[in-house]
Amino acid sequence: MAQKKNHEVDSWLARPDRTARIVLVYGPDRGLVTERARKFAVATGIALDDPFAVVRLDAAEIDSDPGRLFDEVKTFSMFSSQRLIWIRNAGAQKAFADAIKDLAKDPPADALVLIEGGDLKKGAGVRGVVETAFSGMALPCYSDDPRAVDTLIDEVLQRYNLRIALPARTRLKALLGGDRLASRGEIEKLALYCHGKSEILEDDVALLIGDVSATSADDALNAALKGDVPGFQQALQRFKSAGGNRTTLLLSALRQLQIVQTLRAEMQTSNRPAGAVIGSARPPLYFDRKTAVERALTRFSLAQASAALQRVQAAVLESRRYPDLSDSIIERCLLGLTLHRS
């Protein structure tokens, strides 16, 4: 059986078996699916920014036109000895699973097929096909257990030269684990806030990761991304009235601008519209945040998104350096984001 257990996946990704030509990364933790799929893609050595060497497809496209998969697999690249066919959103699509089954009978020698899927049923559909294929490898992604969360915390904080006190670690672990990318983002947010310190304390975790005025904070951030000045001012006032800490709002803006920057770069490289790249975003965007990010993608070019991200990063550090002025620094930065015009 061509499959690994959840705790074996990272070891396999460190040294992938080159006989695996069709790799399925699946599971309920979509953030971990995205992270592990990218690790495999990087391990192939293929230039991921080369549109001739990497083809990104949605499983629904192949389900409606199975011949598309074989056309892409057979296409020869003049600039790379290997091509990567990267397929997202695999689910219960029957025609898609049948196409992968046919491909597995005669796997390509000069192309790799990487598939990202959700929580697929054991033995059924594309999961059953890949698990039983000689040229396949199925890699499950389930929510991080406490040991994996510990490893993730240490990995991120080591990059920032930060230690974390035991009570702070215990509290942080209790709030993480449901989604790998979301967990990583929360830890990085905490590390940025604690820049200049030697150790993270429990109060830092309570301040940054806690649920403070969540609704009004989301409303303010969504308004800022959309450029809705009155909406931003009203939501910010509600947030302040509820006792919300403005630093949490600024760090949330930092995270969302990172997403905007990533999606804007994908729009540029894939020549796809905002709605298409948002539809394939991992972790997915929902409801008002999805609308806000789509609007931000029309307001900011890639260069402008990068510049806005730098301004927010600078405001985070400036607010730490001048705590007495932090509220004014943060509000000025967020208002500038809201007022931006392309």
Side-chain angles (χ1 to χ4, degrees):
M1 299 289 284
Q3 57 179 309
K4 295 293 179 183
K5 295 181 178 179
N6 190 46
H7 69 273
E8 300 173 328
V9 174
D10 287 327
S11 296
W12 189 87
L13 287 172
R15 299 183 64 183
D17 183 351
R18 299 303 176 185
T19 64
R21 311 304 296 174
I22 304 173
V23 175
L24 169 66
V25 188
Y26 72 94
D29 188 337
R30 299 308 297 269
L32 187 54
V33 168
T34 299
E35 184 170 293
R36 284 177 167 172
R38 182 163 183 82
K39 280 186 179 179
F40 176 77
V42 170
T44 65
I46 298 171
L48 301 184
D49 58 351
D50 181 353
F52 298 101
V54 179
V55 177
R56 292 176 169 84
L57 298 171
D58 192 281
E61 296 178 65
I62 299 171
D63 193 56
S64 61
D65 181 14
R68 175 78 183 276
L69 174 63
F70 298 95
D71 290 342
E72 294 294 353
V73 165
K74 293 176 182 177
T75 300
F76 175 75
S77 175
M78 294 184 294
F79 306 104
S80 176
S81 59
Q82 292 278 318
R83 297 180 80 235
L84 177 65
I85 314 301
W86 196 336
I87 305 167
R88 292 191 168 108
N89 300 321
Q93 303 99 334
K94 185 179 184 306
F96 170 69
D98 290 342
I100 297 296
K101 184 175 182 178
D102 289 341
L103 184 65
K105 295 175 183 176
D106 184 21
D110 56 358
L112 292 163
V113 178
L114 171 59
I115 306 167
E116 292 183 37
D119 192 8
L120 305 176
K121 186 178 179 181
K122 182 176 177 60
V126 70
R127 178 179 170 184
V129 169
V130 176
E131 286 179 341
T132 56
F134 175 77
S135 58
M137 177 57 69
L139 306 175
C141 298
Y142 297 105
S143 297
D144 288 327
D145 59 24
R147 180 179 297 180
V149 174
D150 266 325
T151 300
L152 182 63
I153 291 171
D154 291 337
E155 175 196 330
V156 175
L157 296 186
Q158 187 176 19
R159 297 204 315 267
Y160 290 88
N161 295 316
L162 279 168
R163 301 190 307 274
I164 183 167
L166 182 57
R169 180 184 288 271
T170 301
R171 184 161 187 166
L172 180 59
K173 286 170 62 178
L175 298 167
L176 303 177
D179 183 284
R180 172 66 69 88
L181 284 185
S183 295
R184 184 182 293 277
E186 290 298 306
I187 300 168
E188 294 203 355
K189 180 172 73 174
L190 179 63
L192 183 60
Y193 173 75
C194 293
H195 176 79
K197 293 185 175 183
S198 60
E199 185 176 50
I200 296 173
L201 303 177
E202 186 177 7
D203 287 347
D204 297 321
V205 177
L207 175 64
L208 267 294
I209 313 297
D211 181 16
V212 181
S213 309
T215 301
S216 54
D218 283 345
D219 289 345
L221 185 52
N222 289 339
L225 291 171
K226 290 188 289 186
D228 177 6
V229 176
F232 169 74
Q233 292 174 329
Q234 292 170 9
L236 180 62
Q237 185 58 48
R238 291 198 305 271
F239 180 76
K240 291 190 293 185
S241 298
N245 185 287
R246 293 165 183 78
T247 301
T248 63
L249 195 58
L250 187 62
L251 291 172
S252 294
L254 181 68
R255 175 63 181 155
Q256 293 307 311
L257 279 173
Q258 289 171 336
I259 293 173
V260 171
Q261 183 188 47
T262 299
L263 295 179
R264 202 65 178 80
E266 187 171 342
M267 286 175 61
Q268 188 167 307
T269 56
S270 65
N271 198 29
R272 292 193 296 162
V277 296
I278 286 177
S280 60
R282 293 295 174 271
L285 300 167
Y286 295 110
F287 308 119
D288 291 343
R289 182 55 47 80
K290 181 178 179 180
T291 302
V293 170
E294 185 167 6
R295 178 72 183 101
L297 289 173
T298 64
R299 294 179 62 221
F300 293 88
S301 66
L302 178 56
Q304 290 169 339
S306 300
L309 186 59
Q310 290 176 358
R311 287 194 296 272
V312 173
Q313 289 172 332
V316 171
L317 298 179
E318 189 180 6
S319 66
R320 291 284 297 160
R321 191 175 296 120
Y322 304 106
D324 292 343
L325 301 174
S326 63
D327 288 350
S328 298
I329 292 169
I330 292 169
E331 289 189 29
R332 182 185 62 195
C333 176
L334 292 174
L335 182 58
L337 177 66
T338 311
L339 289 169
H340 169 82
R341 294 291 180 266
S342 57

